[in-house]
Amino acid sequence: NCRALYVDALPDSIMWIGPRTFRNCPEVQLTHLPDSLVYIGQKAFMDCTGLGLVDVSTYDPPQGPYEYKIDSSAFSGCSNLTFGNTYYFRGWKIIGDSAFKGCTQLRAFNDSGTRDGDTVTTIGEYAFQDCINLGFLRLPSNLQQIYQYAFALGRNRVNGVSEVVIPIDEIG
């Protein structure tokens, strides 16, 4: 039980956050993601309801043969999670199943990347399920897979998405 554990920042040298590391730790706060981080494990921050604003505007992951993955349910149930005014996922390649499920304060998903291939290629099942305030989606041009129900809303919910940008040349 980590109900009294308070974490404000992660070391700048950390590359990997293991599965269930901070699961159900309501006092965990992150001000930014360390540039060295390339993997966030399954349920790593699941149900960390105190996790709020995480500044990802300066996140610049290392080059290398890394997976760059936000794994299944990594931030699921973090109902106060927001990325401020940036809303992008620079550097992350894979967003796992239910990774942000129930993150009701997320407002946008903008993945335009900064380097060639520096964008999300896979969005898993239910990845953004019940993100009821998600109002803007910009999907990357090299996106390869969006699995079923990636942006689904539960029963009796109103979809707040008002704009979707899909930079593709051809459908079908």
Side-chain angles (χ1 to χ4, degrees):
N1 188 340
C2 63
R3 296 219 176 261
L5 177 66
Y6 177 79
V7 177
D8 182 48
L10 297 173
D12 287 334
S13 59
I14 194 166
M15 293 185 74
W16 194 79
I17 299 173
R20 298 172 187 83
T21 301
F22 297 105
R23 183 177 181 187
N24 201 27
C25 295
E27 299 299 318
V28 170
Q29 293 290 316
L30 289 180
T31 54
H32 72 284
L33 296 179
D35 286 346
S36 56
L37 191 60
V38 297
Y39 176 79
I40 301 173
Q42 291 180 344
K43 302 178 183 178
F45 293 96
M46 185 176 189
D47 296 325
C48 291
T49 55
L51 189 61
L53 174 64
V54 178
D55 183 3
V56 294
S57 65
T58 60
Y59 176 71
D60 190 21
Q63 296 284 342
Y66 306 111
E67 192 171 25
Y68 304 104
K69 182 176 185 178
I70 299 173
D71 215 335
S72 300
S73 300
F75 292 97
S76 180
C78 295
S79 55
N80 292 307
L81 179 67
T82 179
F83 296 122
N85 294 323
T86 52
Y87 308 118
Y88 57 80
F89 288 80
R90 175 175 54 198
W92 297 101
K93 302 279 187 207
I94 301 167
I95 298 177
D97 297 347
S98 303
F100 294 97
K101 180 180 178 180
C103 294
T104 57
Q105 295 306 309
L106 287 182
R107 304 257 184 243
F109 176 85
N110 180 5
D111 190 356
S112 54
T114 56
R115 298 186 290 250
D116 287 341
D118 192 21
T119 58
V120 172
T121 58
T122 303
I123 300 174
E125 290 182 2
Y126 304 100
F128 293 91
Q129 181 185 12
D130 291 334
C131 293
I132 58 174
N133 288 304
L134 198 61
F136 174 78
L137 303 175
R138 179 184 304 273
L139 303 176
S141 59
N142 65 326
L143 183 64
Q144 296 169 7
Q145 299 171 314
I146 301 176
Y147 285 92
Q148 65 184 0
Y149 309 114
F151 297 96
L153 295 175
R155 298 172 82 184
N156 303 319
R157 298 275 175 93
V158 176
N159 187 336
V161 176
S162 59
E163 183 176 354
V164 178
V165 177
I166 306 173
I168 57 173
D169 296 327
E170 184 178 323
I171 295 177

